[in-house]
Amino acid sequence: MAKDQLQVLNALDVAKTQWYHFTAIVIAGMGFFTDAYDLFCISLVTKLLGRIYYYKEGSDSPGTLPDNVASAVNGVALCGTLAGQLFFGWLGDKMGRKRVYGMTLMMMVICSLASGLSFGKEPKAVMITLCFFRFWLGFGIGGDYPLSATIMSEYANKKTRGAFIAAVFAMQGFGILSGGMVAIIVSAAFKANFPAPIYSANPAASTVPEADYIWRIILMFGAIPALLTYYWRMKMPETARYTALVAKNAKQAAADMSKVLQVELEAEQEKVEQEKGKNDFGLFSAKFVRRHGLHLIGTTVTWFLLDVAYYSQNLFQKDIFTAIGWIPKAKTMNAIEEVYKIARAQTLIALCSTVPGYWFTVALIDKIGRFAIQLMGFFFMTVFMFALAIPYHHWTLPDHRIGFVVLYSLTFFFSNFGPNTTTFVVPAEIFPARLRSTCHGISAASGKAGAIVGAFGFLYLADTSGVKKALLILGGANFLGMLFTFLVPESKGKSLEEMSGEAEEEKGTTATVPV
């Protein structure tokens, strides 16, 4: 590392873990908590939407959303997220992390409330307004990915930076868990107050008119955690790395961090002035391609391949729940009871495999490194996916269904204790400060493109070629992810400036970082 690193950046790198680190984790993490709640809670209420708005008189089974409507309701937020990641990632480097951070949060609050207030006399009108607000909700959520990761990486010290960024991402697990718990509480309260017969006994009466409030309350609840953290987000100072390295205002950076770290820091404006013009290459320059081109390919392709598999797996949940008897057949329940049973099943999966995987990564990422965790995660996901695919017929037999559930849970565990977390952490550490948010946004958007391919491509593939072939393809995608991990550098224990090459003195050579 160059000897003349700014004092303010060095102070952040060597700072002991302090209260402000935990405040930053909570402030950034609550955004992620809300993101996960908003993205995943829709799957809890899609069956209810079908019963309320697409009920056919005289039908043997309850109403369900038509395929195109179900795809739109489930997928429109993912499309919004992809667009938001690119736009707000770029904006975070242009306007500063803090200013853009408040914008994304307000967007999430407004659109969470608005999606619960979706209106219209006809089912089509309700679904169109719901999809419209879900898209813009996704757009706001998209901005939270690059900004939360970048802010946390720029606030953290080098010793525990990986754990801090991973802890922000791990709040996603609690968001999914809370979605299930809110749905359980709301549906249980309505079930107690508005009893109804099961569908097979009385189809029309099995969905009480009050059930229309349930999905709206569940969707609108996502606004509460976001609103609670808005004030604290606005009180956070801009990160020192943005203020000093991008805005070139060392005096402001030193003043902000003096308050945060509670130490006196020298401004060193002259050092910043000397650096002007150095290393100011853009995203599309030959210099960026030479220094970081392979790194960007590594972060985008691994995140894409991970999300193809990760979001496809989510589609399996309802089949697994039904197979092991967690969710009875739809006609043996009334509408409110069905919401309760689905929420209970999702909460159990989140509690047993989703949440623990995230926290294993938090505990070990700064001990064994990002590279090892990502490689190991992809390896085990490949193994378990092939173990499900090759003897697929064996797993469909009633006696072997528990084994199927165990292997399925293990693929989830190793995606969270593996690439699902590391693909979020690494792009926030290895790119220069003025392009950090943009490059993280590009990597995250590539992941969401994988999610869209996974969610819709897998459905199509399973229908046309069978589940076995679809699982084999997912196993192949995980194996490719393992290979592309070799393009991603290890950032454990290094400062952000070492990783990005900003700490290198100009010697006419390119600053590459070995894996």
Side-chain angles (χ1 to χ4, degrees):
M1 191 182 80
K3 294 181 196 72
D4 61 348
Q5 187 189 19
L6 287 171
Q7 190 191 353
V8 65
L9 304 187
N10 190 51
L12 283 165
D13 278 343
V14 299
K16 285 190 170 75
T17 301
Q18 295 173 36
W19 183 246
Y20 82 87
H21 285 124
F22 294 107
T23 344
I25 289 170
V26 171
I27 293 167
M30 282 313 281
F32 248 81
F33 175 97
T34 309
D35 297 350
Y37 181 96
D38 287 332
L39 282 180
F40 288 92
C41 70
I42 195 72
S43 63
L44 299 167
V45 297
T46 43
K47 299 247 186 197
L48 179 64
L49 290 170
R51 282 189 186 240
I52 295 168
Y53 295 105
Y54 291 91
Y55 164 67
K56 288 193 184 98
E57 210 170 325
S59 171
D60 284 343
S61 54
T64 55
L65 295 178
D67 286 348
N68 60 334
V69 176
S71 294
V73 167
N74 285 309
V76 74
L78 294 178
C79 300
T81 305
L82 189 154
Q85 284 163 337
L86 292 171
F87 177 71
F88 286 116
W90 167 79
L91 203 62
D93 284 332
K94 291 286 171 230
M95 288 174 62
R97 304 7 173 166
K98 180 190 167 178
R99 284 170 72 186
V100 181
Y101 215 25
M103 289 157 62
T104 62
L105 205 62
M106 277 324 290
M107 202 163 191
M108 282 153 62
V109 170
I110 293 163
C111 294
S112 281
L113 293 171
S115 58
L117 296 171
S118 299
F119 50 85
K121 284 183 180 175
E122 296 296 314
K124 190 178 177 184
V126 177
M127 293 304 133
I128 288 170
T129 48
L130 176 61
C131 288
F132 175 80
F133 290 121
R134 293 276 307 163
F135 175 85
W136 291 108
L137 174 66
F139 194 70
I141 288 170
D144 227 45
Y145 274 74
L147 292 164
S148 291
T150 303
I151 285 173
M152 198 63 242
S153 75
E154 292 182 345
Y155 262 106
N157 58 39
K158 34 180 198 187
K159 194 179 170 190
T160 53
R161 187 179 61 235
F164 288 162
I165 306 171
V168 168
F169 191 68
M171 294 296 276
Q172 199 176 56
F174 289 124
I176 297 167
L177 197 59
S178 299
M181 286 164 72
V182 168
I184 286 171
I185 293 163
V186 173
S187 57
F190 273 79
K191 197 163 85 169
N193 288 298
F194 305 104
I198 62 169
Y199 184 86
S200 54
N202 187 339
S206 70
T207 307
V208 294
E210 290 80 5
D212 195 47
Y213 293 115
I214 293 177
W215 69 270
R216 295 175 187 276
I217 292 167
I218 293 168
L219 295 187
M220 289 167 82
F221 190 85
I224 295 171
L227 203 53
L228 290 175
T229 47
Y230 183 76
Y231 170 75
W232 298 106
R233 262 195 197 191
M234 292 298 92
K235 281 199 75 174
M236 270 179 103
E238 181 57 86
T239 72
R241 286 184 159 92
Y242 181 85
T243 310
L245 300 174
V246 184
K248 307 289 184 195
N249 188 344
K251 192 176 176 185
Q252 187 62 50
D256 287 344
M257 291 308 110
S258 292
K259 284 181 200 160
V260 169
L261 296 167
Q262 295 176 329
V263 291
E264 277 301 312
L265 293 167
E266 214 181 313
E268 303 180 299
Q269 186 63 36
E270 65 287 348
K271 272 190 192 174
V272 172
E273 297 297 333
Q274 283 166 20
E275 291 300 310
K276 273 189 181 173
K278 286 185 185 180
N279 282 339
D280 60 353
F281 52 87
L283 184 65
F284 300 106
S285 64
K287 203 167 185 181
F288 178 85
V289 172
R290 260 200 325 274
R291 286 191 177 200
H292 300 291
L294 284 177
H295 298 162
L296 190 59
I297 291 169
T299 58
T300 51
V301 175
T302 51
W303 205 335
F304 175 86
L305 291 166
L306 162 82
D307 273 7
V308 167
Y310 188 74
Y311 278 82
S312 304
Q313 276 174 281
N314 279 323
L315 293 171
F316 256 130
Q317 283 196 17
K318 61 182 188 305
D319 303 326
I320 285 168
F321 297 156
T322 309
I324 59 174
W326 281 358
I327 300 178
K329 287 199 164 75
K331 64 181 178 185
T332 65
M333 299 179 282
N334 63 43
I336 298 174
E337 199 179 352
E338 189 174 34
V339 174
Y340 179 82
K341 294 268 172 71
I342 293 169
R344 192 182 63 178
Q346 183 166 308
T347 306
L348 276 166
I349 283 279
L351 207 53
C352 298
S353 66
T354 310
V355 173
Y358 286 122
W359 292 99
F360 264 77
T361 310
V362 173
L364 297 171
I365 193 166
D366 287 311
K367 292 183 174 68
I368 60 178
R370 292 80 165 134
F371 179 77
I373 287 177
Q374 187 160 312
L375 203 63
M376 174 202 68
F378 270 128
F379 171 76
F380 282 113
M381 284 171 76
T382 307
V383 168
F384 293 130
M385 203 63 88
F386 283 136
L388 288 172
I390 294 164
Y392 182 68
H393 177 68
H394 169 85
W395 298 119
T396 57
L397 302 172
D399 293 348
H400 305 133
R401 281 173 178 168
I402 295 297
F404 185 91
V405 173
V406 171
L407 284 181
Y408 170 80
S409 296
L410 283 168
T411 55
F412 251 119
F413 175 79
F414 280 105
S415 61
N416 292 323
F417 178 37
N420 194 33
T421 309
T422 54
T423 51
F424 176 79
V425 173
V426 175
E429 300 182 306
I430 63 177
F431 299 108
R434 71 190 172 285
L435 297 170
R436 189 169 288 135
S437 178
T438 305
C439 290
H440 195 287
I442 291 167
S443 306
S446 170
K448 276 297 164 280
I452 293 162
V453 169
F456 304 117
F458 181 82
L459 213 55
Y460 173 75
L461 204 62
D463 285 347
T464 54
S465 310
V467 175
K468 180 174 179 170
K469 197 172 273 186
L471 284 170
L472 286 169
I473 289 168
L474 292 183
N478 289 329
F479 180 71
L480 275 177
M482 197 165 74
L483 298 181
F484 274 95
T485 296
F486 287 95
L487 295 178
V488 180
E490 179 55 78
S491 48
K492 182 181 78 162
K494 292 177 180 167
S495 80
L496 296 177
E497 288 67 46
E498 281 177 273
M499 288 308 302
S500 64
E502 287 163 302
E504 300 280 338
E505 278 143 349
E506 289 284 300
K507 292 177 184 170
T509 58
T510 58
T512 52
V513 184
V515 173

